[in-house]
Amino acid sequence: MDASTIGMIAFAAVLIMLALRVPIAFTLASVATVATFFIFAFRTGTFMPERAIKATTSMVFSNSFDLIHSYDLSMIPLFVALGHIAYRADITTKIYHAAKVWLTKLPGGVAMASVMGCGGFSAITGSSIACASTMGKICTPEMLRMGYDPRLATASVAAGGTLGSLIPPSVLFIIYGIFTETSISSLFLAGVLPGLLTLAGFVLVIAVWVWRDPSVAPSTDQRYSAGERWTAALESWPALLLFVLIIGGIYGGIFTATEAAAVCVVSATLIGFAQKKLDWAGLWAAVKETCVQTSAIFLIAASAKIFVAFVALTGVAGTIVGFVSDAQMSLVVLMLCIALIYLLLGMFLDPIGIMVLTLPLMIPLVESYDLNLIWFGVVVIKLLEIGLITPPVGLNVFVIANVVGREAPIDKIFAGITRFLSVDVIVLILIMSFPMISLLIPMAAR
């Protein structure tokens, strides 16, 4: 049995196990280990298991060891910790409060403030699901109490939560950078303009929706004085400071992405204690939550690294590149096929699982077309972002549904999501058609 045949069987096994809801880390590690054993055992043409044991264990342990000891991987626990600490220090919610105070008198203003609050939360935490969960508990119940249509109240937060994938610091960008050996700092900078473009598009969707049907967002009598508005804006300075430290520090060459994460963790902790919003119990809880979340991500990443090594052994990636080359597929057709694959997988799998499953095959294919990996990374993350709100398994939608309970069933949330999906598709087309949207800031920072 040759390596390519074993590779095809292994890919089928992975898809079957994922369809059966087997955890992605166990699926990738177990299939890659067993398949690698068979590749080494059949290397001489006959089945010789005694030859395969040492080679297989060496491949498994060396690849997982190299990944876990990667310096860039230290960014993940730092940025995860930053999100938890900033939330417990009441830093992340200040942006939403400031936006709500300034926009309340506008039609649909609280929904717009929710999207902006999600954008601010994303700029600190880097996690879409955490953003949707946290902001959903704060924003959605308030909009429902104010008489907002459940479709708008839920969909605005579910869509806004996806900004955590694109607006730096993004955990998905870190994983992409590690597996493709591209600059994570450049990826962070590349996500800024597409992220802001998406945020602006979401706000525009709300404005048009409310303009066409004012009943979905009843006006409120609540008004804030000029002093209250400026006070709310000034109280959001810690969140702005952290974002400036991350983006400004990287853009100015002052920090690497890892150093920016460390500086922001210390800054958020000091600010929390100084403002008496954070205590030792809260800090310890944030650390425990960070350990749990980071362990899960590391386990997936280590399993994916083993899977990548297995794919290299099979030669399947080279076969696919050769097939595409022989087919003389145009760049437009290639990108449409890649987008379709990611969108289909996004309907059923979580973003990290999709990324680690597809990158071993996609990157050699993209490199064969001499495409920029920074730009391609933004395209991939945007596709994964769309998957978070695409039926039937839009993770952010189910997170919001869990928060609001019976007040907004799943079908109503998805009914509201369609308007925001249209913006996501438009932004995706713009990113694909005009790579400079993604590459402008990274090129300017060189």
Side-chain angles (χ1 to χ4, degrees), residues 323-409:
F323 172 79
V324 173
S325 178
D326 292 341
Q328 296 182 338
M329 191 178 293
S330 69
L331 178 58
V332 174
V333 174
L334 173 69
M335 294 307 299
L336 285 175
C337 290
I338 290 175
L340 183 61
I341 290 170
Y342 275 101
L343 291 175
L344 288 174
L345 291 175
M347 294 180 182
F348 305 100
L349 300 177
D350 65 280
I352 294 179
I354 296 171
M355 183 179 291
V356 298
L357 182 64
T358 58
L359 286 182
L361 301 177
M362 293 296 179
I363 296 305
L365 189 60
V366 169
E367 288 178 331
S368 71
Y369 276 74
D370 198 28
L371 298 177
N372 186 293
L373 289 181
I374 301 293
W375 165 78
F376 183 70
V378 175
V379 171
V380 168
I381 301 304
K382 185 62 186 176
L383 288 166
L384 295 176
E385 180 183 280
I386 293 172
L388 286 168
I389 53 175
T390 303
V393 189
L395 291 180
N396 275 19
V397 173
F398 280 88
V399 168
I400 298 299
N402 186 56
V403 170
V404 299
R406 296 181 179 179
E407 293 185 78

Side-chain angles (χ1 to χ4, degrees), residues 63-137:
N63 279 281
S64 55
F65 181 87
D66 290 344
L67 177 80
I68 297 301
H69 286 75
S70 166
Y71 175 72
D72 287 337
L73 203 64
S74 62
M75 272 184 277
I76 292 179
L78 287 172
F79 279 123
V80 170
L82 174 61
H84 288 299
I85 292 170
Y87 172 67
R88 292 185 176 276
D90 201 25
I91 294 173
T92 53
T93 55
K94 290 296 184 182
I95 298 175
Y96 164 68
H97 178 68
K100 185 185 74 170
V101 168
W102 280 86
L103 300 174
T104 293
K105 63 181 181 181
L106 295 178
V110 180
M112 295 178 187
S114 299
V115 171
M116 292 182 180
C118 288
F121 191 100
S122 303
I124 297 173
T125 62
S127 171
S128 292
I129 295 175
C131 179
S133 176
T134 303
M135 298 305 291
K137 295 174 185 176

Side-chain angles (χ1 to χ4, degrees), residues 1-7 31-63 306 308-314:
M1 188 180 295
D2 63 2
S4 60
T5 302
I6 294 174
V31 170
T33 302
V34 172
T36 299
F37 174 82
F38 278 101
I39 288 175
F40 284 124
F42 278 107
R43 178 149 285 185
T44 58
T46 56
F47 185 65
M48 301 179 66
E50 64 279 1
R51 286 176 168 239
I53 296 174
K54 184 176 180 180
T56 302
T57 54
S58 175
M59 187 275 286
V60 169
F61 288 114
S62 63
N63 279 281
I306 298 169
V308 169
F310 156 70
V311 171
L313 277 177
T314 63

Side-chain angles (χ1 to χ4, degrees), residues 297-319:
I297 295 173
F298 276 21
L299 188 60
I300 294 172
S303 301
K305 188 69 173 177
I306 298 169
F307 189 75
V308 169
F310 156 70
V311 171
L313 277 177
T314 63
V316 170
T319 302

